[in-house]
Amino acid sequence: KIKVPGAILVDQPGPLTIPAITKIEEGGILMSQGPITISGDIVHGPPPAAPALPEPLTIVSLKGDITIAPSVRNIEAMLIALDGQVKFGGAGDITITGGVATKVLDPKTIVLGGKRKIKYSKDIDPNGPNRTVFKVFYGGEDRVACVGEEEKP
């Protein structure tokens, strides 16, 4: 499971590998300076108690590609490769519930092999019909804090 309290920047020399995540306790923005490999399914898990909605998880590569391993079948997150692309490592079926934003989007890599779906879900949209999420991040090099969430009536 994962809990991202706001925004986290992973600044390491090599690629960041994200293993399978079976429960997103608190969504946020997980960023890496370099490439990212997603090596397992990423799902929200059982729904939270009403009236809470799951918070979206956004995975961002600032200067590289996001590669999805061949065994991955389900990702419930936004994937953003600011200076790269999202690459599918295999030919199997995969569903991304969230969104994909890249500098380069090669349609040939999406249609190879199995069925590839990118679909919208209002439940993990920060501006979905039931709420507006407002977060403020502040802090210095040693800390980042996050405050605020506002639900629509």
Side-chain angles (χ1 to χ4, degrees):
K1 58 186 168 177
I2 189 169
K3 186 174 187 176
V4 181
I8 297 174
L9 173 62
V10 178
D11 191 6
Q12 64 184 29
L16 172 65
T17 299
I18 301 174
I21 298 172
T22 57
K23 173 122 178 86
I24 300 171
E25 288 189 356
E26 184 177 336
I29 302 169
L30 180 60
M31 296 177 284
S32 174
Q33 288 287 357
I36 298 173
T37 298
I38 298 173
S39 63
D41 289 0
I42 299 174
V43 297
H44 274 87
L53 294 172
E55 287 190 33
L57 175 64
T58 302
I59 299 170
V60 180
S61 171
L62 298 174
K63 297 177 185 170
D65 296 330
I66 298 176
T67 302
I68 302 168
S71 61
V72 176
R73 298 290 171 255
N74 189 17
I75 297 175
E76 295 177 3
M78 307 287 188
L79 305 179
I80 301 173
L82 288 178
D83 198 28
Q85 62 183 322
V86 173
K87 296 180 176 180
F88 296 88
D93 296 352
I94 183 167
T95 299
I96 299 172
T97 305
V100 173
T102 67
K103 181 176 182 180
V104 176
L105 181 60
D106 184 356
K108 290 181 271 184
T109 64
I110 295 174
V111 297
L112 288 175
K115 295 178 184 174
R116 311 276 170 79
K117 296 179 191 172
I118 302 171
K119 65 182 191 175
Y120 170 81
S121 170
K122 65 180 175 52
D123 292 333
I124 63 171
D125 181 346
N127 289 311
N130 298 323
R131 67 178 171 182
T132 298
V133 175
F134 174 73
K135 291 188 175 184
V136 177
F137 302 100
Y138 60 91
E141 291 182 10
D142 61 337
R143 64 184 170 91
V144 174
C146 168
V147 295
E149 179 174 286
E150 176 184 314
E151 289 191 18
K152 291 181 181 177

